[in-house]
Amino acid sequence: MKHSTVSAPAKLLLFGEHAAVYGHPCIVTAINRRIFVTISPTTEKKLYINANDVGIKNYTKDIASIGKGTIPKEVQFIELAIKEFVKTYPKVIKKFPGIQITTKSDFSSQFGFGSSSAVTVATIKALAVLFDIKMNEKKLFTMAYKTVFAIQKRGSGVDIAAAVYGGTLFFITGGKTVKKLPIDTLPLIVGYSGIKADTVTLLNQVKQKSEKYSAIVADIYNSIGNIVKRAKQALVTKDFVTVGELMNINQGYLESLGVSTQKLSNMIYAARSAGAYGAKLSGAGGGDCMLAVSTKATEKKVKQAIVHAGGEVLEVYANAEGVRVEL
Ligand code: MEV
């Protein structure tokens, strides 16, 4: 039977998180962990979702009620992605009575690697393939951004850009600028704090801080934006000493926004003490992951130090391919 499978990569924020939500640039890299979405038509007028990795088995809904009623958190992004697709292409959906979706991820949704955005992107693209619709990257980005925005109410769209375009991107809010950086090596070490953070909660906390201390937070965002611009240059010229130093400065600002945690800070300081050029948290903060850059010579020591500080080292590589049609 006709079906489509599409995969999209996870991501790591290298620089500029949080400020990115408010019009400032950031740098993201797609990593070698992917989520796979398979969609096939069904004969009943139903939507079926199986997403074992997040504990969803045989979720069933009438096609006519997609996007309505209470939607479990684990299937929200998939269901609203379908809603966005149907809204955009109302005629084409009549081709099949219903659809069945299966997702499979080769990374845990606990890591803060952008699994929600990756699954949204892969779902929309898999629908486009199934319904023979030509969809360019920009259109895919826009539809996925609308979907995620409808759920989270705010966000820059950077996770979506990484899932769509892949590589390492210089990105400005809403996809105003999406520039692939010519980077081939990126000696990253990634440590997971063991704590799952909730992006929306963190975004709301930072928003509250910016309302109370508007001038101060505006200055912090501007400085983060300047770090990002300088980091872009350092990354492209493989000046990892500067990349590391800029990570440390960026981390200072993230601390001042209140999104680091004791555990993350312990891991970050441990990595620096073990000889890393620099280290910072990655993404929304509150848990999830930290990253460090180091030489080959100090890599082992840095990894050991992260583990000693209670973290788990994850073997991930930067610059992965964007969304991909598998079959
Ligand atoms: C999350 O990966 C990055 C944040 O800046 C949120 C966003 O840009 O949407 C915290």
Side-chain angles (χ1 to χ4, degrees):
M1 207 206 302
K2 186 182 162 99
H3 72 278
S4 69
T5 298
V6 169
S7 74
K11 65 89 212 278
L12 272 174
L13 248 292
L14 301 182
F15 288 97
E17 45 275 270
H18 287 289
V21 180
Y22 301 98
H24 298 275
C26 63
I27 300 175
V28 69
T29 193
I31 57 173
N32 63 329
R33 302 280 181 116
R34 306 184 77 82
I35 195 152
F36 296 78
V37 173
T38 298
I39 309 189
S40 41
T42 62
T43 45
E44 306 95 287
K45 288 188 177 168
K46 300 267 188 208
L47 161 68
Y48 299 102
I49 302 177
N50 277 291
N52 284 352
D53 301 305
V54 287
I56 294 291
K57 279 204 172 80
N58 299 324
Y59 174 79
T60 309
K61 199 150 187 184
D62 287 337
I63 285 289
S65 332
I66 286 178
K68 295 180 193 151
T70 346
I71 306 170
K73 217 173 160 208
E74 295 78 8
V75 294
Q76 226 178 6
F77 289 88
I78 298 174
E79 196 170 322
L80 291 188
I82 303 167
K83 186 180 167 201
E84 180 62 29
F85 187 84
V86 176
K87 201 172 105 197
T88 313
Y89 306 105
K91 283 198 197 115
V92 89
I93 198 86
K94 297 200 175 77
K95 213 162 152 184
F96 305 117
I99 49 173
Q100 181 175 325
I101 300 190
T102 309
T103 70
K104 190 160 176 21
S105 180
D106 61 18
F107 62 98
S108 163
S109 61
Q110 307 289 305
F111 293 159
F113 280 173
S115 57
S116 309
S117 292
V119 81
T120 305
V121 166
T123 301
I124 296 174
K125 183 69 182 177
L127 286 167
V129 173
L130 187 72
F131 290 102
D132 287 323
I133 286 177
K134 279 208 173 63
M135 188 183 283
N136 64 21
E137 290 171 328
K138 179 99 182 98
K139 179 80 182 165
L140 175 57
F141 172 84
T142 306
M143 288 173 70
Y145 187 41
K146 270 193 201 159
T147 306
V148 172
F149 209 90
I151 297 166
Q152 298 191 337
K153 312 291 178 233
R154 55 178 64 94
S156 66
V158 64
D159 298 15
I160 298 160
V164 172
Y165 298 95
T168 301
L169 306 171
F170 178 85
F171 177 88
I172 299 181
T173 327
K176 224 173 285 160
T177 301
V178 184
K179 193 174 181 303
K180 214 167 247 190
L181 300 179
I183 288 168
D184 46 15
T185 48
L186 205 52
L188 288 184
I189 296 169
V190 178
Y192 174 52
S193 69
I195 296 148
K196 167 79 190 131
D198 182 53
T199 304
V200 176
T201 307
L202 282 144
L203 291 180
N204 290 340
Q205 279 169 11
V206 172
K207 177 114 202 317
Q208 272 170 17
K209 190 155 278 182
S210 76
E211 280 161 5
K212 183 161 181 191
Y213 302 108
S214 58
I216 296 168
V217 173
D219 279 350
I220 293 174
Y221 288 161
N222 272 328
S223 296
I224 292 178
N226 286 329
I227 293 168
V228 170
K229 286 178 210 150
R230 187 70 181 78
K232 175 177 166 223
Q233 199 186 326
L235 282 165
V236 172
T237 55
K238 297 192 179 64
D239 176 1
F240 295 121
V241 174
T242 304
V243 169
E245 284 169 1
L246 291 168
M247 277 184 169
N248 292 343
I249 304 174
N250 196 160
Q251 173 63 17
Y253 285 112
L254 290 165
E255 288 271 3
S256 62
L257 289 175
V259 297
S260 197
T261 63
Q262 177 83 54
K263 179 83 178 275
L264 280 171
S265 296
N266 289 347
M267 291 160 70
I268 288 164
Y269 276 95
R272 290 177 190 164
S273 302
Y277 290 135
K280 66 181 276 294
L281 67 84
S282 173
D288 294 344
C289 287
M290 51 74 71
L291 45 89
V293 273
S294 85
T295 58
K296 255 283 142 290
T298 53
E299 188 185 317
K300 205 168 155 210
K301 270 184 74 184
V302 172
K303 286 182 177 171
Q304 281 167 348
I306 291 171
V307 172
H308 194 69
E312 180 192 345
V313 173
L314 303 174
E315 293 301 327
V316 301
Y317 306 101
N319 248 341
E321 193 184 344
V323 68
R324 182 169 74 206
V325 178
E326 301 285 343
L327 39 106

